[in-house]
């Protein structure tokens, strides 16, 4: 008999019990990475770790995506500035 699917709040509660550090780091660093893009690496790693724990993989993927997108866009901006494609 298949097990019943967990609600989002039950899934978050289980993740907070097993990997509380990764849960809070993913949430906080994803928000901070919007202002300091280099923090996006932490959000990407913590979001990845949440994907391995939680039943809903999209929850961790959202935080990993925000962090990785912020970091990638900042690296692209720096590269384009150095190459002279955009003015600084």
């Amino acid at each position: 008999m298949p097990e019943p699917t967990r609600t989002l709040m039950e899934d978050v509660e289980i993740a907070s019990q097993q990997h509380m550090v990764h849960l809070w780091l993913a949430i906080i660093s994803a928000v901070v990475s919007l202002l300091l893009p280099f923090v996006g690496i932490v959000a990407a790693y913590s979001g990845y770790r949440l994907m391995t724990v939680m039943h809903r993989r999209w929850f961790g993927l959202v935080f990993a995506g925000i962090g990785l997108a912020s970091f990638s866009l900042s690296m692209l901006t720096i590269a384009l500035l150095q190459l002279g494609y955009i003015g600084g």
Side-chain angles (χ1 to χ4, degrees):
M1 184 172 233
E3 68 179 55
T5 58
R6 296 180 276 204
T7 64
L8 179 61
M9 291 311 295
E10 291 172 343
D11 215 12
V12 169
E13 184 178 330
I14 289 171
S16 70
Q17 291 171 358
Q18 294 177 358
H19 292 278
M20 183 173 30
V21 173
H22 291 299
L23 179 66
W24 284 108
L25 270 178
I27 293 169
I28 293 170
S29 61
V31 172
V32 171
S33 74
L34 298 174
L35 299 174
L36 301 170
F38 295 104
V39 180
I41 298 291
V42 176
Y45 177 72
S46 295
Y48 169 75
R49 294 293 297 163
L50 282 179
M51 283 181 10
T52 62
V53 173
M54 297 180 75
H55 182 71
R56 289 173 172 79
R57 295 176 53 91
W58 64 265
F59 191 78
L61 188 62
V62 166
F63 297 116
I66 290 171
L68 201 56
S70 178
F71 179 74
S72 299
L73 288 175
S74 70
M75 290 293 105
L76 179 65
T77 303
I78 290 172
L80 290 176
L81 276 171
Q82 291 296 318
L83 294 173
Y85 287 111
I86 56 177

